[in-house]
């Protein structure tokens, strides 16, 4: 959701018949708030029937849109990309490079005010499944960041993670749909 709260970017599944089965492709759409109703639902320029584009995150200034995609030319399953808003039009998607993107799936991007990119990955070394990582020194989206330091959130205490997630939510109180589950060594869910 935009900083002003009147524009929303979201993912929608596009289910298509493929013989006796179906193919689901994820696509990004935007909508404008008209009073209390979302109107003018518009497909993202780079949606395709051949690959998925999903999990959009719009920067506070509205000039960058981060997303995940399995479009050709990536490093793995789903990679993280960014487009720039130039004169009201989105530039070509730019892959964030092999430091961020792994041979697996790298999804759910979010960049905070300090320029730290948070994302989930099942391709970087972690505990398995979709671990949460953040990339320090992530400031210049116009080039591949060779000096990025990836940190697996598992190395931090639940208290630190809680403070970080609290800061994310406080940064954008319009954030909705965040599912947070912590699991300790005794298999208790918090």
């Amino acid at each position: 959701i935009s900083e002003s709260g009147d524009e929303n970017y979201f993912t929608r599944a596009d289910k298509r018949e493929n013989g006796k089965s179906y193919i689901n492709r994820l696509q990004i759409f935007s909508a404008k708030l008209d009073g209390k109703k979302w109107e003018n639902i518009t497909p993202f320029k780079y949606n395709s029937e051949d690959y998925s584009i999903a999990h959009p995150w719009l920067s506070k200034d509205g000039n960058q849109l981060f997303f995940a995609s399995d479009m050709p030319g990536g490093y793995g399953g789903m990679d993280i990309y960014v487009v720039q808003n130039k004169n009201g039009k989105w530039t070509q998607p730019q892959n964030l490079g092999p430091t961020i993107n792994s041979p697996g799936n790298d999804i759910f991007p979010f960049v905070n005010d300090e320029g730290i990119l948070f994302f989930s990955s099942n391709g970087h070394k972690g505990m398995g499944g979709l671990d949460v990582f953040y990339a320090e020194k992530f400031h210049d989206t116009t080039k591949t960041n060779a000096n990025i330091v990836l940190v697996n959130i598992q190395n931090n205490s639940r208290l630190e993670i809680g403070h970080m997630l609290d800061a994310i939510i406080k940064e954008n109180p319009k954030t909705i749909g965040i599912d947070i589950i912590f699991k300790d060594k005794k298999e208790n869910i918090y």
Side-chain angles (χ1 to χ4, degrees), residues 1-3 7 9 28 44 55-67 80-94 96 109-117 138-143 145:
I1 296 179
S2 65
E3 183 68 11
E7 187 173 21
Y9 286 83
I28 294 175
F44 183 53
H55 317 306
W57 181 82
L58 184 66
S59 64
K60 276 189 167 190
D61 63 8
N63 289 327
Q64 294 180 312
L65 183 70
F66 291 81
F67 59 88
I80 298 175
Y81 291 81
V82 64
V83 290
Q84 312 288 330
N85 186 341
K86 300 287 184 189
N87 301 318
K89 297 188 186 279
W90 294 114
T91 61
Q92 281 288 124
Q94 179 186 356
L96 295 189
F110 168 82
V111 180
N112 71 6
D113 284 344
E114 288 77 40
I116 297 173
L117 169 70
F138 181 80
H139 298 286
D140 188 357
T141 58
T142 63
K143 62 182 178 183
N145 291 267

Side-chain angles (χ1 to χ4, degrees), residues 8-27:
N8 184 14
Y9 286 83
F10 59 94
T11 302
R12 190 185 265 179
D14 180 37
K15 185 176 178 180
R16 298 193 183 260
E17 284 190 45
N18 185 25
K20 293 185 178 183
S21 63
Y22 292 92
I23 295 176
N24 283 322
R25 295 283 186 232
L26 301 177
Q27 298 181 339

